[in-house]
Amino acid sequence: PEFIQATGIEKIRATVMEREQAKKLKGKQKERMQPKMGKIDIDYQVLHDAFFKYQTKPRLSKHGDTYYEGKEHEAVLREKKPGQVSEALQKALGMEAGGPPPWLVNMQRYGPPPSYPNLKIPGLNAPIPEGASYGYHPGGWGKPPVDEFGRPLYGDVFGTATAEPEGGGAALYPKEPWGAMEDDDDLEDDDDDDDDDDDGTVTDDHGSVTDDDIHAGISSVSSVPSGLATPDSLHLRKAAAGISTPGSGLDTPDSQSSQQLYQVLEQRDAKVGSAAFGSSHAYNIPTNKAAAKSAAAAGGSLALDP
C-alpha cells in the first residue's frame, strides 16, 4: 500500500540485501553464529504516522463474493463505456487532444468491432470532429472506408445523411393515455341510487320493487333440492328373513313381541377326567332339529355351523 511505501522500508530493505550479497562466505558464517540485530531501523514516529494517520481502508469484497488471489487488482469495468477514452489512457497512448485513437487505422481496414456493432466511431461509421482532416500525417484520421464507387461501407462517415426529424415516430406511436377517469355525472347518479335505497325502495329501469316483494321472492326459493328431503325416522338394523322392521309398513304388534332375544341353556354336572382343560360342568346344546323346532316355535331362525 501507499502508506507503507511512504515509510521508505523498501529502500532500507534493498540496501541491507545488497550488503549481505557483498559479504564473503566467511562473513556469512560469522553472521550466522553472531547475528547483529537492529539492521532495519525505522523511526517510531514514521511507523506511527503510517498506520494511525495515513493508513487507508483497503478494498474489500462485497457480501457473498468469492475471493481469489489477485482479485483486488482487477479493473472495475462497470463504470467503463466503450468508445470513451479517459485522460489517463490518452496520456499513456500519447494521443493528442482531439486526435484519433491509434486503433482507428486497423478498424478502417478490418471493420468495426463485432462485439459493438452499433457503436459510433468517428472516422469509421461517424463523421470526424470539426477542424480535423483525413490522412496519415500526425493528427490525421486515416482513410475513410468506402467501396469502389465511393460509398461508405459502415455508416455515414462523411456526415451527409439527413438527420431524422424530431418527433418522427410520434405518428407511428401515439402518446395518448389509455385510461380515463369517470365523469362526475355517473357519480351523481350513484348517489341518487343510494338515497333511494335509504327510503326502502329500489328503483330501476324496469319498475319499482318494494321490501315485501323481496321477502316474498326469498321465501319462494327452497334451499333443499328436490328429492333430497330428510325422512322422519331411519332404521339401520337388519331384519331376519320373513321378519319386518318397524316403519316398513309390514310389522304388527304381535310379530314384534314374539321375537326371542336370547335362549337359556340347561347346565349339567360333568367329570373332569384326564382332560388337560376339563370342566366340572357342561351345557346341553340342542341339536339342529331341536333348534329348528324351537326357532320355528319362537318365530325366528337359528343356524349352528361349528
Side-chain angles (χ1 to χ4, degrees):
E2 296 180 357
F3 63 92
I4 297 294
Q5 294 178 359
T7 59
I9 185 67
E10 293 182 349
K11 297 179 180 179
I12 299 175
R13 187 180 298 173
T15 304
V16 174
M17 294 295 293
E18 291 177 359
R19 291 178 183 176
E20 290 183 357
Q21 292 177 359
K23 290 181 180 179
K24 297 182 179 180
L25 181 60
K26 185 176 180 180
K28 292 182 179 179
Q29 294 292 339
K30 184 178 179 182
E31 185 69 23
R32 287 183 180 179
M33 299 300 296
Q34 299 178 355
K36 294 182 178 179
M37 308 300 293
K39 294 180 179 180
I40 305 177
D41 290 337
I42 301 179
D43 188 8
Y44 177 78
Q45 187 65 32
V46 174
L47 291 176
H48 179 274
D49 294 343
F51 287 98
F52 294 97
K53 188 175 181 180
Y54 303 112
Q55 185 179 9
T56 57
K57 184 178 180 180
R59 181 182 175 185
L60 303 177
S61 59
K62 297 181 180 180
H63 177 71
D65 289 349
T66 303
Y67 178 79
Y68 49 86
E69 186 176 359
K71 186 175 182 179
E72 63 274 8
H73 301 296
E74 290 183 352
V76 181
L77 301 178
R78 293 181 180 178
E79 300 177 357
K80 307 295 182 182
K81 295 183 180 181
Q84 296 182 0
V85 183
S86 61
E87 295 181 0
L89 182 58
Q90 291 180 3
K91 186 181 296 184
L93 296 176
M95 295 173 54
E96 299 178 359
W103 54 81
L104 178 62
V105 176
N106 290 331
M107 285 187 178
Q108 290 175 349
R109 184 179 303 171
Y110 301 108
S115 299
Y116 304 97
N118 300 324
L119 180 64
K120 297 298 182 181
I121 302 175
L124 181 66
N125 53 11
I128 59 178
E130 296 181 0
S133 61
Y134 288 103
Y136 295 100
H137 58 278
W141 287 77
K143 181 181 178 180
V146 295
D147 58 3
E148 56 184 358
F149 300 104
R151 293 174 298 187
L153 294 175
Y154 308 114
D156 185 20
V157 69
F158 298 110
T160 57
T162 58
E164 296 182 359
E166 297 182 359
L172 299 176
Y173 304 101
K175 297 182 179 181
E176 297 179 357
W178 55 270
M181 297 293 294
E182 295 181 357
D183 297 334
D184 297 338
D185 298 338
D186 297 339
L187 299 176
E188 293 178 359
D189 295 341
D190 295 339
D191 296 339
D192 296 339
D193 295 341
D194 296 339
D195 297 338
D196 295 340
D197 295 340
D198 297 338
D199 297 339
T201 305
V202 179
T203 59
D204 55 2
D205 297 338
H206 299 285
S208 59
V209 180
T210 59
D211 295 338
D212 297 337
D213 296 337
I214 294 175
H215 293 300
I218 294 174
S219 60
S220 62
V221 179
S222 177
S223 60
V224 180
S226 60
L228 299 178
T230 305
D232 297 336
S233 61
L234 182 63
H235 300 280
L236 300 177
R237 178 177 294 178
K238 293 182 179 180
I243 300 176
S244 60
T245 58
S248 61
L250 300 176
D251 53 344
T252 57
D254 296 337
S255 62
Q256 294 181 7
S257 60
S258 62
Q259 294 180 4
Q260 184 178 0
L261 298 178
Y262 62 91
Q263 183 180 1
V264 180
L265 299 179
E266 183 181 356
Q267 182 179 351
R268 58 183 176 83
D269 297 336
K271 295 181 180 180
V272 178
S274 60
F277 300 98
S279 178
S280 60
H281 56 274
Y283 296 93
N284 291 330
I285 300 176
T287 58
N288 293 338
K289 295 181 180 180
K293 290 181 180 180
S294 61
S301 61
L302 179 62
L304 295 177
D305 191 6

